[in-house]
Amino acid sequence: MRTKMLAGNWKMNNGGAATKDFITNLENWFSKDPVGKKSAAAVSSKAIEVVVAPPFTSIESACSAKQTDIIQIAAQNVYHKPKGAFTGEVSLPMLEEAGCKYAIIGHSERRHVFGESNEDLEKKLIATLESRVLPIFCVGELLEERESGNMKKVLDTQLESAWRSLTSDVVADMVVIAYEPVWAIGTGQTASDDDAEDACDYIRTLAYEKFGVTSSDSLRILYGGSVKPENSASLLAQRDIDGLLIGGASLDADSFEKIIASAL
Ligand code: PGA
């Protein structure tokens, strides 16, 4: 049984004060609301895992607002060097010290707005796997790549460079992949259940071919792109979708809670 991950990617939203309020309210929901209590029990039994990725400056607020271990904190990005003259970057030792369990690597906005290459992301992935922070590694095709029939080719290229120096054990125990078709992110145009499953199934097949059955069976693969309470349950019901990476809908406590509950 793969633990289903519900991860909220806040992007450049919520400063320290808003983050503290959000985390406090979400923990109250887990401890007081009947559905929240069921969700907290599902976290304890490892049926689900709840993750929030605030901006860097709000990570400390999120970690200090947390009274329990129900919510895990992720960074939205990381730099692969541990320290030094890299203005504007944040390192893995800093994320560890702040209390992050995960780091999102290669989100499509990092790839396409900030120009991060497959080589950059490979360095980040390797450095993260050498730290105590675990990677949520994002892949996904542009609209024109899908329309020209190249979705699988794009996934091949993005994953080939990411995976080339990893071992089967690492993939089985430490890696989370998020399939996020770029045309579905922030557009309201969710991939259909079949399209999302098709891509996640393909990623699992690639993992099987490269790392074998134990790794491909254990690997968690998330879908992301315009997830909302109305479509989360049917996406989560797909065989190869082990969770959701949620942007816009994770900023609203009510919709994030509904999406968490849809995984029960
Ligand atoms: P969205 O973003 O849910 O707002 O489409 C998803 C993401 O970018 O991770």
Side-chain angles (χ1 to χ4, degrees):
M1 257 305 277
R2 298 183 290 262
T3 302
K4 288 217 188 302
M5 179 185 282
L6 295 314
N9 172 16
W10 285 357
K11 310 193 180 188
M12 201 170 69
N13 296 288
N14 289 338
T19 296
K20 181 169 177 278
D21 286 351
F22 191 103
I23 297 290
T24 305
N25 289 338
L26 188 55
E27 282 199 332
N28 279 338
W29 179 75
F30 279 122
S31 66
K32 299 205 170 82
D33 183 275
V35 181
K37 284 186 188 169
K38 265 176 96 176
S39 306
V43 173
S44 302
S45 68
K46 296 200 172 4
I48 66 169
E49 182 175 23
V50 176
V51 179
V52 169
F56 283 133
T57 56
S58 301
I59 287 174
E60 297 252 32
S61 302
C63 293
S64 55
K66 253 160 44 91
Q67 303 292 311
T68 70
D69 230 9
I70 299 174
I71 307 165
Q72 302 299 333
I73 303 302
Q76 298 174 15
N77 185 23
V78 68
Y79 194 60
H80 63 279
K81 296 278 190 186
K83 64 177 184 172
F86 303 104
T87 302
E89 296 296 329
V90 173
S91 73
L92 285 152
M94 292 169 186
L95 297 183
E96 286 174 359
E97 189 181 339
C100 284
K101 177 168 180 189
Y102 293 101
I104 299 173
I105 297 174
H107 185 276
S108 78
E109 285 142 24
R110 299 305 315 170
R111 289 177 185 270
H112 299 294
V113 182
F114 299 100
E116 294 186 5
S117 66
N118 286 324
E119 291 68 34
D120 295 329
L121 300 174
E122 181 184 3
K123 287 186 200 147
K124 292 182 183 209
L125 179 62
I126 291 170
T128 303
L129 289 166
E130 286 166 354
S131 77
R132 293 197 304 274
V133 178
L134 297 169
I136 300 173
F137 190 85
C138 302
V139 294
E141 80 287 358
L142 297 163
L143 183 60
E144 54 269 33
E145 291 167 334
R146 170 162 283 259
E147 286 177 342
S148 58
N150 284 319
M151 181 269 279
K152 290 184 176 169
K153 217 167 125 197
V154 172
L155 298 183
D156 287 344
T157 310
Q158 292 176 340
L159 285 169
E160 177 53 34
S161 71
W163 279 352
R164 67 182 149 205
S165 40
L166 306 191
T167 62
S168 304
D169 290 352
V170 162
V171 172
D173 298 339
M174 295 164 83
V175 176
V176 177
I177 301 287
Y179 168 65
E180 296 207 305
V182 182
W183 47 270
I185 296 178
T187 58
Q189 196 194 336
T190 321
S192 68
D193 295 341
D194 286 349
D195 283 348
E197 166 58 21
D198 195 38
C200 293
D201 171 54
Y202 183 66
I203 292 168
R204 201 174 304 286
T205 304
L206 291 177
Y208 170 74
E209 285 166 0
K210 190 158 171 64
F211 300 107
V213 67
T214 309
S215 303
S216 65
D217 276 357
S218 313
L219 178 68
R220 286 192 286 173
I221 305 173
L222 317 182
Y223 166 79
S226 297
V227 172
K228 28 188 191 284
E230 297 73 31
N231 58 29
S232 57
S234 62
L235 287 162
L236 286 166
Q238 303 305 309
R239 190 190 59 193
D240 290 290
I241 298 181
D242 306 312
L244 302 167
L245 186 53
I246 310 133
S250 72
L251 293 170
D252 177 71
D254 187 51
S255 44
F256 192 47
E257 288 160 7
K258 287 193 169 113
I259 292 169
I260 295 169
S262 73
L264 299 179

